[in-house]
Amino acid sequence: MNATERTSRPILSKPVIARGLLLIFAFTAWSITGPANVALALLVALFLTEIPGQWRHLRREPAFLLLLAVVLVTSLLAVRAAWIFPAIATDQWRAISAWSAPLLFFVIAWWLRRDPTRIWPVLGAAALGLACGVLRKSDWSLLPEILGGMRYDFGFAALGLAFLASVVLVGLVLFCPRITGLRIGGRARPGAGWIFWSLGIVLSLFVLVVTQSRGAAMSLALAGVLYAIIRRREARRRGQQSPRQLRLALAAAALAIALAGALLWVTKHRQVEDWQAITVGSQEELSYTGSVTIRLNLIKVGFQTFAQQPLLGFGPGTSTTEFLVPERVVAVDAYQLANAPAASHLHSVAMEILTRFGLVGVLIATLLLWVLLRAYRGLWSDPRAAPDLRAFLTLGGIMLLLYCLYDFRVVNLDLRFFCILFLGVLYSFQLGRVRQADGAEPAHD
């Protein structure tokens, strides 16, 4: 590129604007959600201006087509549900955007696809934004009670925040050399890097201990074991497997399992409560006093609801526990009728998809998993992807899948923004790889 071409390029080109909006979105996603929504809306608007010139490519892109399909199907099912249940029509209209929004990861991927180095500032901004959100939203007058063992949510939903903190903790461990090798103004600042890394580790562990999320603890143990497998697989592939490599992999797994065990020990009283709820209850019905038994009861209710509308479900905005059961739209026994409405949802993304979308939702979920597995396959074959980033995206994806099995927050801003950002980073490698294969423009602005 000559000097004339460089000077003729507008300073505020769309990629430059998108880069700034990505940083704003990442930083504010969990601290100031208003600007995050505005930044995301502007990123979508910029993407819409790209469609006419890029339609030839987009019409062959599975994730983009799936996004359009989800918007269309969700809208049609919302119209149907609003006609059947006019009292909750407003919930159906809101559900269209709530269920479609996580698929906007494609927009994030679109603006990251040209240059993987843009990913690092976005991930850093997201971690700093989450830390700022925790510090800003917390009620610090409760600090004595928190230090005394009280469970606290830091102004977030406890399980959602614990999941985010566990993923950040995995990232801090994997990216330790990058963070401690921080460069500011072209000069190495290892002291600042170690301070940021240490504070991040302390804050993440503190959040995990205080929120008392056993699901997050188990996902950390799983991440440790899988990371050991990944390390060993990579060493074997490079022909560099050695006893030292094996010891390091086993040490990583042991450390993660030990950390998970410590977190579970902190919540041992909850394990006792769950065990009592399982063993003390009647033989006919499980008690609603323990978190495990609550989920088992709600799974039962969910399958009963699904069986009554298996094809199309009851609508994207129709809650089983807050509407279908208490209004007796679905037939459940007296015990479930008396207890299930106390839950705000079915505590599982899978169960909510079954009851709200039926088999159509199963088809959409299967297509989404295929799209993401295809992206992971591309990630592991893309030489532009750094090994630590590949491991982080793989472990984080598995942790996300596990989280969706025991909680339902995919339509809430915290997990919605995580899906948009995290899956957008993942899919950016798939888009970049495909466009390079098609002979598209090189990775430069």
Side-chain angles (χ1 to χ4, degrees):
M1 181 183 294
N2 57 41
T4 303
E5 290 174 329
R6 285 196 297 268
T7 55
S8 63
R9 173 169 292 171
I11 297 176
L12 290 180
S13 62
K14 282 192 288 188
V16 173
I17 297 173
R19 187 182 306 173
L21 291 172
L22 283 170
L23 293 175
I24 294 172
F25 172 67
F27 182 79
T28 59
W30 300 284
S31 55
I32 317 173
T33 55
N37 279 309
V38 172
L40 181 61
L42 291 175
L43 285 168
V44 172
L46 280 178
F47 171 72
L48 293 177
T49 67
E50 295 266 292
I51 291 179
Q54 300 290 338
W55 178 248
R56 179 172 170 271
H57 167 69
L58 288 171
R59 69 182 183 182
R60 294 181 287 117
E61 177 48 55
F64 176 70
L65 297 177
L66 183 60
L67 170 60
L68 297 181
V70 167
V71 173
L72 176 61
V73 171
T74 306
S75 300
L76 292 175
L77 292 180
V79 171
R80 172 180 174 270
W83 179 68
I84 298 174
F85 307 118
I88 55 171
T90 303
D91 295 334
Q92 308 301 335
W93 310 140
R94 285 198 295 260
I96 296 173
S97 61
W99 281 99
S100 303
L103 276 295
L104 290 177
F105 71 80
F106 182 81
V107 175
I108 303 298
W110 182 263
W111 296 116
L112 288 174
R113 75 194 189 282
R114 295 185 179 185
D115 186 1
T117 60
R118 298 179 184 177
I119 292 171
W120 301 111
V122 169
L123 291 179
L128 287 174
L130 178 61
C132 290
V134 169
L135 296 175
R136 188 179 71 86
K137 295 181 179 181
S138 298
D139 183 357
W140 294 107
S141 66
L142 297 175
L143 185 59
E145 289 84 351
I146 293 172
L147 296 177
M150 182 185 77
R151 190 183 189 193
Y152 184 58
D153 57 16
F154 298 92
F156 293 80
L159 294 184
L161 178 60
F163 166 73
L164 294 174
S166 65
V167 174
V168 170
L169 182 61
V170 169
L172 287 170
V173 173
L174 292 177
F175 302 145
C176 178
R178 293 183 183 274
I179 299 171
T180 55
L182 179 68
R183 300 184 69 85
I184 301 176
R187 296 181 59 185
R189 306 287 184 180
W194 278 109
I195 290 173
F196 283 130
W197 186 83
S198 301
L199 290 176
I201 291 288
V202 170
L203 182 59
S204 298
L205 290 175
F206 184 63
V207 168
L208 288 171
V209 170
V210 174
T211 53
Q212 300 182 18
S213 171
R214 293 169 294 173
M218 290 187 290
S219 68
L220 283 174
L222 178 62
V225 173
L226 292 175
Y227 179 62
I229 295 173
I230 290 172
R231 285 288 301 269
R232 187 172 183 180
R233 175 181 175 274
E234 286 192 326
R236 181 179 297 176
R237 182 172 55 84
R238 293 195 302 265
Q240 298 175 348
Q241 190 171 2
S242 66
R244 180 175 179 273
Q245 292 282 352
L246 180 60
R247 286 195 298 270
L248 287 174
L250 292 176
L255 181 61
I257 293 173
L259 175 59
L263 292 172
L264 291 173
W265 177 257
V266 172
T267 62
K268 59 183 182 296
H269 63 284
R270 298 183 63 203
Q271 275 74 267
V272 173
E273 291 174 356
D274 280 330
W275 177 251
Q276 291 175 343
I278 293 173
T279 57
V280 175
S282 67
Q283 295 182 351
E284 292 79 16
E285 300 291 352
L286 288 171
S287 169
Y288 264 87
T289 58
S291 63
V292 172
T293 50
I294 288 174
R295 283 171 169 79
L296 291 174
N297 276 304
L298 292 176
I299 287 174
K300 178 181 178 181
V301 172
F303 277 120
Q304 290 175 339
T305 304
F306 166 69
Q308 296 189 39
Q309 281 285 356
L311 183 59
L312 300 177
F314 284 92
T318 307
S319 170
T320 297
T321 55
E322 294 183 333
F323 180 76
L324 294 177
V325 171
E327 295 296 325
R328 305 193 181 194
V329 177
V330 297
V332 297
D333 58 49
Y335 180 74
Q336 301 296 349
L337 180 62
N339 291 280
S344 57
H345 48 70
L346 295 175
H347 286 280
S348 169
V349 175
M351 294 310 305
E352 291 287 354
I353 288 175
L354 281 176
T355 60
R356 297 180 188 230
F357 295 87
L359 292 176
V360 171
V362 175
L363 176 60
I364 292 174
T366 302
L367 291 174
L368 176 60
L369 287 175
W370 172 75
V371 165
L372 295 179
L373 288 174
R374 179 170 171 264
Y376 273 112
R377 182 180 178 183
L379 173 72
W380 280 92
S381 63
D382 194 332
R384 301 176 305 153
D388 53 355
L389 183 58
R390 279 201 302 261
F392 172 70
L393 292 174
T394 302
L395 298 178
I398 294 171
M399 294 167 74
L400 174 61
L401 181 61
L402 177 62
Y403 177 80
C404 288
L405 294 179
Y406 68 82
D407 199 15
F408 173 65
R409 294 197 60 80
V410 73
V411 297
N412 297 84
L413 286 181
D414 52 0
L415 193 64
R416 180 196 306 179
F417 284 163
F418 176 85
C419 292
I420 292 172
L421 194 60
F422 181 87
L423 298 180
V425 171
L426 164 66
Y427 208 78
S428 67
F429 287 96
Q430 175 68 16
L431 279 181
R433 190 173 62 88
V434 170
R435 289 185 65 76
Q436 284 187 342
D438 287 347
E441 72 274 6
H444 299 290
D445 288 340

